[in-house]
Amino acid sequence: MRLVYLPAYSPDLNPIELLFSSMKCTIRRNDMLMQRVMEPGDDFAVYAALHDIVWGVSASDAEGWFTKCGYF
């Protein structure tokens, strides 16, 4: 294991930023679905939709993000 100090704010070296980008892309791609889900009073549907987006990330996606950020 090797300890590497990163700059204070370095989104290019942070794999979670790529996850957030992927989530936002999925939400934009399914805009009509999200608008229908986000009807007033149905908070559970919004959480369920976000749950599906987050858990839709595969291990190969995460591995690719870590590789892109320079973690081998």
Side-chain angles (χ1 to χ4, degrees), residues 6 9-15 17-18 65 68-71:
L6 301 176
Y9 179 69
S10 55
D12 295 336
L13 302 175
N14 193 348
E17 296 291 339
L18 297 171
W65 296 330
K68 184 175 180 179
C69 290
Y71 301 105

Side-chain angles (χ1 to χ4, degrees), residues 1-2 63-72:
M1 184 175 278
R2 180 177 63 159
E63 183 180 0
W65 296 330
F66 274 88
T67 302
K68 184 175 180 179
C69 290
Y71 301 105
F72 302 102

Side-chain angles (χ1 to χ4, degrees), residues 12-31:
D12 295 336
L13 302 175
N14 193 348
I16 196 73
E17 296 291 339
L18 297 171
L19 168 66
F20 293 152
S21 176
S22 175
M23 289 176 58
K24 289 188 287 187
C25 181
T26 302
I27 290 170
R28 286 185 193 116
R29 205 175 6 198
N30 299 320
D31 186 41

Side-chain angles (χ1 to χ4, degrees), residues 7 11 13-14 21 24 32 34 39 46 50 54-56 65 69-70:
L13 302 175
N14 193 348
S21 176
K24 289 188 287 187
M32 294 306 291
M34 291 302 288
E39 293 178 0
V46 173
L50 291 175
V54 171
W55 287 102
W65 296 330
C69 290

